[in-house]
Amino acid sequence: MGVNDHRLDGSQTQVLLRLLDIALAARVGGRAGVPLAAAAHGVRLTLTPTPGRFTTVRTPGAGCI
């Protein structure tokens, strides 16, 4: 099973949403192309804006976020 086939469980989804919340809250206004980063629960998330690319994360119940 590759990373693209993995579906997060409920607790993994909560950690991801918390990391997204931290990263988005730390954004600097007017700097849309700057990478965002957050760390919590021993996990580091880095969001790097790349025009024309996206990532889909599969979660339980809701399907994708």
Side-chain angles (χ1 to χ4, degrees), residues 28-49:
V28 176
R31 299 186 66 195
V34 175
L36 304 172
H41 307 285
V43 178
R44 180 173 175 80
L45 173 72
T46 303
L47 304 171
T48 304

Side-chain angles (χ1 to χ4, degrees), residues 3-64:
V3 70
N4 292 329
D5 300 317
H6 184 76
R7 182 177 299 268
L8 298 183
D9 65 27
S11 61
Q12 291 169 328
T13 300
Q14 290 302 314
V15 170
L16 175 61
L17 292 174
R18 180 66 182 135
L19 289 169
L20 287 170
D21 185 46
I22 292 167
L24 293 172
R27 284 187 289 207
V28 176
R31 299 186 66 195
V34 175
L36 304 172
H41 307 285
V43 178
R44 180 173 175 80
L45 173 72
T46 303
L47 304 171
T48 304
T50 306
R53 297 194 61 189
F54 64 93
T55 299
T56 300
V57 177
R58 299 185 191 300
T59 63
C64 299

